[in-house]
Amino acid sequence: MPLFQRLDEKTRLTGRLAAAVEYDGTAYCGWQRLKHASSVQYEVEQALARVANQPVTVHCSGRTDSGVHATRQVIHFDPPVSRSQKAWVFGANANLPRDIAIRWLVPVADDFHARFLALARRYRYVILNQPSRPVLERANATWCRDPLDADAMHRAAQVLVGERDFSSFRAAGCQSKTAWRHLHFIEVHRHGSLVVVDVQANAFVHHMIRNIVGALVDVGRGSKPEEYIATLLSLRDRTQASATAPGCGLHFVDSIYDPQYALPREPLGPNLLAFLGEWTGERDLPDSPLVRYRRGQPLAEDEGHPSLPKYRGKPAKVAAPTPEGESP
């Protein structure tokens, strides 16, 4: 997908639509609509409703927590009226606050579901590692004044790759039925004063990434050995782990779907890391039962796993999503 693409203003779109939402989560209590606090979902639905002149309900690829940002939060909705691509994007953005924007919008098949058909979610956690407190990056990076050994953090994190029970990195209030997740990769690299934790999995339990980062920072400081992460993983006890890292450093940068849905491709965010040059969907997904299941491929009878539904074959049609505590 080119960086600059003309929006169609003539064709009136009907049927299900998918879009990508970018937001600075500083002022919001997460993505999910709440009665008692501001949320990104509420603002997006209100903006789309003004374009449609009717209520609009959206479904997202993965909920984010308070203060967490996103550059590619994929959503879908069934519009009550037909509007052009340009009308939806420009109209929504004109009615959204300055810290939320629609990046793109395209028609998709009626069976597309932003959450239940996502094969993977990818996040980047940005740490500004310098003696003085940040100014320009204060809202989108976590400050650590102590020198961090990024190489040690990377080595320690590799034990997390694969299908694991992440109970030690799961918030006490997590609503998910299981702590099993398939972590595809986790990388820790230093770029000048920036230390970046890049992680992808099929899904995440509540606060999972922020709890992992909190433990990795202790390893990077030298206050914990590299074996610390493996020890925590085996304990399956959140009370034995490190503090949760702040939400301001976490960015939801990609949701990955089967190529058949042909969603737009774009550079991974945040723009603070544009120099890395990686575009979405470049890495191969692991061959796992969950990936095959989400793609509608048949599974063998002996491929049971706590993270998989009990039925086999093509995913069943799903109703409205139920809470599973997927915010990281």
Side-chain angles (χ1 to χ4, degrees):
M1 177 184 179
L3 292 176
F4 297 92
Q5 185 174 23
R6 185 179 297 276
L7 297 175
D8 188 338
E9 57 184 309
K10 296 181 179 179
T11 306
R12 298 175 71 89
L13 302 176
T14 59
R16 183 159 293 184
L17 301 176
V21 184
E22 179 177 1
Y23 52 88
D24 179 337
T26 305
Y28 303 97
C29 291
W31 164 265
Q32 189 174 13
R33 188 192 320 109
L34 301 170
K35 293 182 179 179
H36 62 281
S38 58
S39 69
V40 180
Q41 181 181 5
Y42 173 81
E43 297 292 345
V44 171
E45 289 178 341
Q46 289 295 104
L48 292 173
R50 290 195 175 189
V51 178
N53 293 318
Q54 295 182 49
V56 174
T57 300
V58 305
H59 304 280
C60 72
S61 54
R63 294 179 297 179
T64 54
D65 207 4
S66 179
V68 175
H69 317 299
T71 57
R72 187 180 167 90
Q73 170 69 273
V74 176
I75 64 170
H76 83 263
F77 64 98
D78 296 316
V81 294
S82 62
R83 297 280 190 270
S84 71
Q85 184 186 46
K86 184 175 181 179
W88 281 117
V89 175
F90 279 31
N93 285 339
N95 288 285
L96 281 167
R98 294 182 64 186
D99 49 9
I100 305 174
I102 303 293
R103 293 181 62 96
W104 49 258
L105 178 141
V106 295
V108 289
D110 289 340
D111 65 347
F112 176 81
H113 197 288
R115 176 183 170 193
F116 289 106
L117 291 181
L119 301 176
R121 287 92 172 168
R122 183 170 176 178
Y123 286 79
R124 285 172 167 173
Y125 195 97
V126 183
I127 302 170
L128 188 61
N129 191 207
Q130 62 184 33
S132 60
R133 62 180 175 83
V135 176
L136 299 181
E137 302 89 357
R138 65 189 183 280
N140 52 30
T142 294
W143 174 43
C144 180
R145 71 179 75 187
D146 302 319
L148 295 177
D149 185 341
D151 291 336
M153 294 167 67
H154 176 79
R155 291 192 298 268
Q158 298 317 299
V159 70
L160 302 172
V161 176
E163 293 187 83
R164 304 283 186 266
D165 183 335
F166 287 94
S167 295
S168 290
F169 305 99
R170 176 185 187 181
C174 180
Q175 300 174 5
S176 179
K177 296 178 181 178
T178 174
W180 280 89
R181 295 293 185 268
H182 188 168
L183 197 146
H184 299 162
F185 66 81
I186 180 169
E187 299 174 352
V188 185
H189 298 294
R190 176 179 288 279
H191 307 278
S193 60
L194 297 177
V195 174
V196 180
V197 182
D198 199 338
V199 57
Q200 179 177 294
N202 67 307
F204 299 90
V205 290
H206 195 199
H207 285 176
M208 177 173 157
I209 299 176
R210 291 167 60 189
N211 289 335
I212 289 174
V213 171
L216 288 176
V217 166
D218 281 347
V219 173
R221 283 190 175 117
S223 59
K224 298 291 185 181
E226 291 184 24
E227 297 77 22
Y228 176 57
I229 305 301
T231 300
L232 290 179
L233 193 65
S234 63
L235 288 175
R236 301 181 182 180
D237 184 357
R238 172 63 193 138
T239 64
Q240 302 296 313
S242 301
T244 303
C248 62
L250 187 58
H251 301 257
F252 187 3
V253 300
D254 202 6
S255 294
I256 299 172
Y257 298 88
D258 193 272
Q260 67 174 303
Y261 296 107
L263 296 186
R265 301 180 68 226
E266 55 191 332
L268 291 177
N271 285 333
L272 182 66
L273 304 178
F275 59 85
L276 296 179
E278 188 171 0
W279 284 61
T280 182
E282 288 189 334
R283 305 194 185 196
D284 293 333
L285 293 175
D287 180 18
S288 69
L290 185 56
V291 169
R292 293 200 298 276
Y293 168 77
R294 286 286 173 90
R295 284 178 164 163
Q297 299 170 356
L299 301 179
E301 289 299 324
D302 60 353
E303 289 189 294
H305 190 276
S307 65
L308 285 174
K310 294 180 180 179
Y311 45 86
R312 294 287 181 262
K314 188 174 180 59
K317 295 289 184 180
V318 293
T322 55
E324 287 191 5
E326 286 189 355
S327 58

